[in-house]
Amino acid sequence: MRWTLRISFLLLLAWAIFMVSPFVALYDLSKAVEAKDVARITERVNFNALRVSLARQILGEYLKTQDLGGLDQQAATQVGTATLNPVLEELITPQAIIDMLDDGRLSQVGAGGPGSPIRLDLGSLENAWRTFITSESQGFRAITIPLPADAPKADQFKVTMRLRGTTWRLTGIDLPAPLKEELTKRAAAATK
C-alpha cells in the first residue's frame, strides 16, 4: 500500500511538472525578449514552423482579397507564396520576433495602433490561472496559449508551443485580425 501511494504521488508530481513546463518555457521566452537575448530566442523558436504558420494566415487573408480569375486554389497559393516571400522574410528574424513579442506590433511592417504584448504575465495567481485555463492542449506535445488572457478574443495572439525532445519551442503565432489585415495590405502593396 505504501509503495502504491508513493508511486501515485510521483506520477502526479511528474504530470504537474509536465503541465506547467510549456508556461515556464513561454515565460523564459518573454524574459529573453525583454532582455533582447537573440541566442535564447533562437533556442526557443522554431523559425521554419513559425514561417509556415504566418504564411498560412497571411496567404489565406491575401487570397480572400484577390480575384483569382479562374485560377484553381493550388495555383493561386503558389503564386501567393512567391509574392508573400519578401513580407515573410521580414517577419521571420529574431529582431522581428522581439518586436512582435515585446509590444504586439511589428515596427518594420508599420502596424499602427496600440499593440498588446505577447507576454506571459504571472504577476498574480489569478492571471496565471486564467492563462492556464484558457490554454488548449493539442495532445501531449503541443499547446496553444491565448495571450493576453484577459483581452478580447479579436485582440489576442494565440501562441503555439510544441515539445521537441525536452524543450518547448514556439512553433506558431495566430495573429489578431488588425495585424493580419495590415500584413495582407503590405502583401498586396508588394505585388503592385
Side-chain angles (χ1 to χ4, degrees), residues 4-142:
T4 303
L5 289 175
R6 288 179 185 167
I7 291 172
S8 298
F9 174 75
L10 289 176
L11 288 174
L12 182 65
L13 182 64
W15 177 79
I17 290 170
F18 177 77
M19 293 298 290
V20 171
S21 63
F23 299 96
V24 172
L26 186 58
Y27 182 75
D28 181 53
L29 179 61
S30 71
K31 290 300 178 186
V33 166
E34 284 177 16
K36 300 190 184 329
D37 185 354
V38 175
R40 258 178 45 205
I41 290 170
T42 304
E43 242 175 56
R44 290 281 182 197
V45 176
N46 181 339
F47 287 99
N48 290 332
L50 186 58
R51 178 187 186 88
V52 169
S53 169
L54 293 175
R56 178 182 44 82
Q57 295 171 68
I58 297 168
L59 183 59
E61 287 295 316
Y62 176 75
L63 290 177
K64 286 179 190 175
T65 64
Q66 301 301 309
D67 179 26
L68 299 179
L71 282 177
D72 68 339
Q73 189 69 26
Q74 186 168 357
T77 301
Q78 289 174 350
V79 170
T81 302
T83 302
L84 290 177
N85 202 28
V87 175
L88 290 174
E89 287 299 321
E90 293 178 6
L91 294 176
I92 310 300
T93 64
Q95 187 58 47
I97 299 299
I98 289 171
D99 287 346
M100 191 179 346
L101 297 178
D102 191 34
D103 63 4
R105 295 182 292 164
L106 293 168
S107 59
Q108 74 272 22
V109 173
S116 49
I118 306 176
R119 286 206 186 106
L120 184 59
D121 181 20
L122 298 177
S124 70
L125 188 57
E126 181 183 352
N127 286 346
W129 180 249
R130 189 177 312 122
T131 302
F132 181 76
I133 292 299
T134 59
S135 65
E136 300 171 18
S137 177
Q138 300 166 348
F140 287 107
R141 297 188 57 195

